[in-house]
Amino acid sequence: MTLRARQLAWQAAPRLLAAGLLLVPASMAPRWLQLWGATALVAAAGCVGWWLAGRLLRRLPALDRALAAAVLGVAVCWLIGLALGQAGALHGDAFRLVLALLCLGSVRATPHARSRTPQIGADVAGQSGVPVGGWRDRRRLARMEAALLVGVLAIAAGALVGALRQQRFAPPGRFSYDDTSYHLTTVATWAQRHDLSMPRFSYGDPRTAFYPFAAELAAWIATAPFAGGDFAARWVELPFALLTLFAAALVARRLGARGATPLLAPLLYLTVPNAFPDLALSAGNDHAVAFGVLATAHAGLLLARRRSVGRALYAGTALGLLLAIKLVGLLYAPALAVLLVLAAVTAPRPRCARWRRAAGVLAVAAGAALLVGGYAYLRNAVTAGNPLFPVPLRIGKLALPGWKEFALGGVMAAEPGFTPTTFPWTQTLLLGPLWRWTMLPAALLAPWLALALARRRRLVSAWLLALPLTFYGIFVELMEDHRGIRYLFAAVALAAVGAAWLVGRLPLPARAVATAIIGGAAVLPWLQRRPSWVGVLLAVLLAGAWLAQAGRVAWWRGRASAAAGRLAVAV
């Protein structure tokens, strides 16, 4: 069998299995087969996204390509749902049929080019502040650092799985009243009407009929293998929350965090109790917004490395998903658009016709964003005369209709004694015990240090690391609901990225010690909830002491080796 035939066989077999499971009628299948159908749906979307990422983003490392595949797979499912809903054919069987056909069509034997970009956990000689003479000790220390972070993340994953198991029979709305108020109500409306009609309430919040609804459509897609059941729809935030953790690590790595320190970003974000596990087990859209922001940031960093149409399409798709998920995304979009502009302008090659090529890729990104994220705003413009309805919009002499009570900048509800200057410091119950000492200082310091220390793509790095402060300013000035931090999940995740980047800038011995301290402090709250894990805590602390000792030995051995080399040259 030839190489191409083997590639086709390896690609075709799982796709044929996924397509076959998708084609089983959900209403006639037993429960265990419906569960396999849900797995097949995720696998099929991933296969389609992986094929698209391979076509658009060549020579990209596997981890970066996996995140792009997730974004593109979600976008494909969103566009299929829009097309079916607009045609009045929003049936689970029709959706699964179209996705199965696309999955089968993604069978292509394409070579996987390897990239020289170092993976998470890799280190490059001479870049960590330790002389090359101590390479062997430095490599051993880097491996111990990576092992410690992987172990702590495994404990965090176990705690999340335990919360998932504990809440597996919790009713919809257990973590957020909005789930049953309008998120799942919209899904039920579509299941009955088979189109994209929005429920209009005579009580509560009447604006929900005009909101972007990508997260609700994702919840409907989750019901497709279950014949309309809400088992998967009520936890639709969980995949986006997990993808945000993955994206945070990749953004930290692309920013230049060395060794295993990119893993600090998801570790710190996991310590935010309001995000994990509370709202990760809900049917809302706040984690989906954070995922859209982190994916756009990742795409911007890729675009800053090389201008290409494929990377521009990826960036535009990620930004379009953010716009399609929630109206808050429209407030975050200008800051992310500036990031993409800086990335396109400062990309190193080709230097000839830089501005023309930058304008071209930005036009491609804008077109992709409008295609993916413009449907809800276009529908509002056609039906209500204002794309942002019910928010009144005034541009110069042009005044578009809206409801005055929903103008931007008003405060509907806030925490008791809400003060913008003290809110990030006082909300420890929502932000977690490590926020004050890791992520908050990083949000304040990282942008300035990036301007001073970043060698390449300085403006892009500094602007990206300044996004947490930008988003917080938007939250205070333009958002009306100040009762919690769910609108700030993206800012918190990017602050965690900044903390990982700062730790990654330290010399290896100091970096290993800081990693051990943060890892031990991060795992402590989870161990307090489960006293049987006290032994694991002791193991983490012992590992931290070992790292500190090994780092000191590696440092002094490296210095002694370098001094001996200089002495030999002098003699």
Side-chain angles (χ1 to χ4, degrees):
M1 184 181 291
T2 64
L3 176 61
R4 181 177 178 82
R6 285 198 299 269
Q7 286 182 339
L8 283 171
W10 278 105
Q11 291 187 32
R15 286 167 170 79
L16 284 172
L17 179 60
L21 290 172
L22 284 176
L23 294 177
V24 175
S27 58
M28 301 173 59
R31 181 63 63 184
W32 64 270
L33 190 55
Q34 290 185 13
L35 289 172
W36 279 108
T39 305
L41 189 148
V42 175
C47 288
V48 175
W50 183 262
W51 179 79
L52 288 173
R55 302 290 293 178
L56 298 178
L57 305 167
R58 299 182 183 274
R59 297 182 181 180
L60 201 63
L63 293 177
D64 296 281
R65 186 178 173 187
L67 179 61
V71 173
L72 295 170
V74 171
V76 167
C77 292
W78 160 249
L79 293 175
I80 294 173
L82 282 185
L84 293 176
Q86 185 64 31
L90 195 62
H91 296 270
D93 293 339
F95 177 85
R96 288 184 283 111
L97 174 62
V98 175
L99 185 59
L101 293 176
L102 290 177
C103 180
L104 292 175
S106 66
V107 179
R108 297 288 176 88
T110 54
H112 301 287
R114 293 184 178 181
S115 173
R116 297 182 180 179
T117 303
Q119 301 295 316
I120 293 176
D123 228 331
V124 182
Q127 290 188 358
S128 64
V130 180
V132 180
W135 166 252
R136 184 171 300 174
D137 291 326
R138 196 171 72 75
R139 186 171 55 184
R140 185 182 301 114
L141 182 59
R143 284 200 296 262
M144 289 189 295
E145 177 191 44
L148 174 66
L149 282 175
V150 170
V152 173
L153 280 172
I155 295 174
L160 185 59
V161 170
L164 187 67
R165 183 178 181 277
Q166 184 180 5
Q167 301 294 336
R168 64 187 184 278
F169 298 125
R174 164 68 175 80
F175 297 99
S176 175
Y177 174 73
D178 288 346
D179 291 0
T180 51
S181 173
Y182 73 95
H183 292 305
L184 293 179
T185 304
T186 301
V187 176
T189 302
W190 294 340
Q192 294 294 322
R193 295 179 59 90
H194 306 295
D195 58 16
L196 297 176
S197 300
M198 302 296 288
R200 300 188 178 232
F201 301 121
S202 58
Y203 60 92
D205 190 350
R207 294 173 296 179
T208 56
F210 307 98
Y211 284 166
F213 51 86
E216 285 77 13
L217 189 56
W220 178 88
I221 291 170
T223 69
F226 295 102
D230 67 349
F231 179 80
R234 60 194 172 95
W235 283 351
V236 73
E237 284 265 57
L238 184 61
F240 292 111
L242 298 178
L243 287 172
T244 304
L245 296 173
F246 181 48
L250 290 183
V251 171
R253 189 192 68 165
R254 281 285 169 183
L255 278 173
R258 298 165 182 161
T261 51
L263 296 177
L264 280 175
L267 175 62
L268 288 172
Y269 188 38
L270 274 168
T271 64
V272 179
N274 192 232
F276 298 94
D278 291 354
L279 291 183
L281 304 180
S282 71
N285 50 27
D286 299 294
H287 278 290
V289 169
F291 170 63
V293 170
L294 269 292
T296 306
H298 176 254
L301 292 175
L302 293 180
L303 193 62
R305 189 175 181 86
R306 185 168 68 88
R307 285 186 294 263
S308 71
V309 173
R311 299 187 182 205
L313 285 172
Y314 170 39
T317 301
L319 184 60
L321 279 180
L322 174 64
L323 295 174
I325 290 167
K326 195 169 186 173
L327 196 60
V328 171
L330 193 65
L331 300 179
Y332 289 163
L336 293 170
V338 171
L339 175 70
L340 297 182
V341 170
L342 290 175
V345 171
T346 59
R349 290 181 296 179
R351 294 186 179 276
C352 58
R354 169 178 292 183
W355 292 100
R356 186 169 58 189
R357 288 186 61 88
V361 296
L362 289 173
V364 170
L370 290 175
L371 174 65
V372 176
Y375 178 86
Y377 304 96
L378 177 62
R379 185 168 73 171
N380 284 347
V382 172
T383 59
N386 178 2
L388 301 184
F389 193 87
V391 178
L393 186 63
R394 182 178 296 274
I395 304 175
K397 296 181 178 180
L398 178 64
L400 300 180
W403 297 338
K404 294 181 180 180
E405 61 270 27
F406 297 126
L408 292 175
V411 177
M412 177 183 70
E415 287 286 336
F418 173 81
T419 305
T421 55
T422 61
F423 181 82
W425 183 261
T426 57
Q427 296 302 313
T428 54
L429 292 178
L430 299 176
L431 290 163
L434 294 187
W435 164 258
R436 290 179 177 178
W437 319 111
T438 56
M439 292 172 273
L440 180 58
L444 298 174
L445 297 176
W448 307 105
L449 292 176
L451 284 175
L453 300 178
R455 296 180 180 179
R456 294 181 298 176
R457 299 179 292 276
R458 180 175 303 177
L459 291 177
V460 175
S461 299
W463 183 261
L464 192 154
L465 292 171
L467 287 178
L469 295 177
T470 305
F471 291 163
Y472 183 69
I474 293 172
F475 170 72
V476 172
E477 296 297 331
L478 298 179
M479 296 185 193
E480 59 182 11
D481 189 351
H482 297 157
R483 291 173 295 179
I485 66 164
R486 61 192 183 97
Y487 297 121
L488 295 173
F489 281 170
V492 174
L494 287 173
V497 169
W501 179 80
L502 286 177
V503 174
R505 300 292 304 183
L506 297 173
L508 182 55
R511 190 183 82 197
V513 173
T515 299
I517 293 173
I518 294 174
V523 81
L524 182 60
W526 301 314
L527 298 180
Q528 287 177 339
R529 299 171 193 168
R530 295 179 179 268
S532 61
W533 288 4
V534 173
V536 182
L537 173 61
L538 295 177
V540 171
L541 294 178
L542 288 175
W546 186 24
L547 281 169
Q549 178 66 19
R552 188 170 61 84
V553 171
W555 174 263
W556 286 110
R557 282 184 182 179
R559 289 178 64 88
S561 177
R566 287 193 295 268
L567 180 61
V569 171
V571 172

